[in-house]
Amino acid sequence: MTSTTSVRPAPTALTFRQKLNRFDYKFSPYLYIAPFFILFALIGLFPIIYTFNVSLYDWHLLKGQGDFVGLENYVSVLTDPFFWNAFRNTISIFLLSTIPQLVVATGIAALLDQTLRGRTFWRMSILLPYIVAPVAVAVIFLQIFNQYHGPIAGLLELFGLDPVRWAFDVFPSHVAIATMVNWRWTGYNALILLAAMQAIPRDVYESAALDGANKVRRFWSITIPMIRPTLIFVVITATIGGLQIFTEPKLFDGRTNGGSDRQFQTIVLYLYELAFPRRDFGRASATAWILFLIIILAGLLNFAISRAIRTADTKPTKLPRVKAPVPATVPDTRKRG
């Protein structure tokens, strides 16, 4: 018997066009995303690293780099009572603004998700506060929260109540600043949540309605679980913005950096005061890095809570064991012979 051996054809060399197509297939995705990472490295990553380098030196705004002090700037900031006052003010304003803002934004999004006349008009109108300049917002609310001549002061006088020192007392100033933040950002977050609600299939609601679920039940059992990823995104972005708040408290009293007694000075205003009036760039950079770490911890906490909630929802529920009923004995009614 004769055995036949198969001879493989010699591989042909790729043409230049084929090599170019292979290169384009493998490396073009990296070229498409490269501009973002290059831009982020230039205006994001490099300033962060450079700020950390500045925080390790006794750095003056005009004199420049001084002696190497290591972590002394961090210790100086963390032992400064003004920093902890700014930290408490930031947390207070953050809680007064973020929590009501998210609750109201979710409610507005749920209302706009219904069948309404002129839905486009209402959806666009809630975005108007966001496009107003922050300076104009500050001017409007400074008139509203005027201690003696504002509409709130007139309402209090009508009921015989004393005027509120909005710009001088701690809690009223926090409420006034949080109101400015809520007015400007609630509509923006509501549109993001509305977009997530619009992506929910309508037949899910119809099936729930046929099963007898009312609107409140459908909202808590269908809407909230299905928009949870978007809700987590809104919570994280609102947390970052709330901890970095600067514009509203700065414009609320432009003559000072957080009030005459620092009653509404935030961490970023404290950083601003260190950097420019005091010209201490070393401590200001250390404050920036401390704030950066606080924001990271807050983001990780939000992620852990959302992951725990998601894990709890996906756990199968154990149904109680039901014992099988014991069959009743039927008496034998047959006649025995």
Side-chain angles (χ1 to χ4, degrees), residues 236-303:
I236 292 176
T237 54
T239 301
I240 295 174
L243 295 177
Q244 292 180 339
I245 184 171
F246 171 78
T247 305
E248 287 80 4
K250 180 62 178 176
L251 294 176
F252 194 65
D253 187 0
R255 298 168 297 179
T256 62
N257 292 314
S260 56
D261 293 330
R262 303 173 184 265
Q263 62 268 21
F264 54 89
Q265 184 182 62
T266 60
I267 296 180
V268 181
L269 276 175
Y270 173 78
L271 186 156
Y272 178 84
E273 182 182 357
L274 289 175
F276 295 104
R278 299 189 187 182
R279 302 177 181 179
D280 191 350
F281 265 33
R283 292 179 60 193
S285 300
T287 306
W289 259 89
I290 292 172
L291 178 60
F292 176 66
L293 295 177
I294 291 173
I295 292 174
I296 290 179
L297 291 177
L300 292 176
L301 181 62
N302 286 330
F303 177 76

Side-chain angles (χ1 to χ4, degrees), residues 4 15 32 44 48-49 63 75 92 97 103 111 128 148 161 164 190 218 281 307:
T4 58
T15 63
Y32 294 147
I48 292 175
I49 298 175
K63 299 177 183 178
V75 175
S92 175
S97 60
V103 172
L111 291 176
L128 290 178
Y148 299 105
L161 300 176
V164 179
R218 293 198 297 268
F281 265 33
R307 186 175 182 180

Side-chain angles (χ1 to χ4, degrees), residues 3 9 33 58 64 108 142 157 175 197 218 221 223 231 243 258:
S3 60
I33 63 175
D58 184 11
I108 293 175
L142 282 175
E157 184 180 0
V175 172
M197 293 179 185
R218 293 198 297 268
S221 300
T223 305
L231 195 59
L243 295 177

Side-chain angles (χ1 to χ4, degrees), residues 31-51:
L31 296 178
Y32 294 147
I33 63 175
F36 166 77
F37 288 99
I38 294 174
L39 190 63
F40 172 74
L42 292 177
I43 66 175
L45 187 60
F46 174 74
I48 292 175
I49 298 175
Y50 189 74
T51 302

Side-chain angles (χ1 to χ4, degrees), residues 143-164:
Q143 298 299 321
I144 294 175
F145 290 105
N146 190 289
Q147 182 177 349
Y148 299 105
H149 306 291
I152 298 180
L155 187 63
L156 293 176
E157 184 180 0
L158 182 64
F159 288 95
L161 300 176
D162 295 331
V164 179

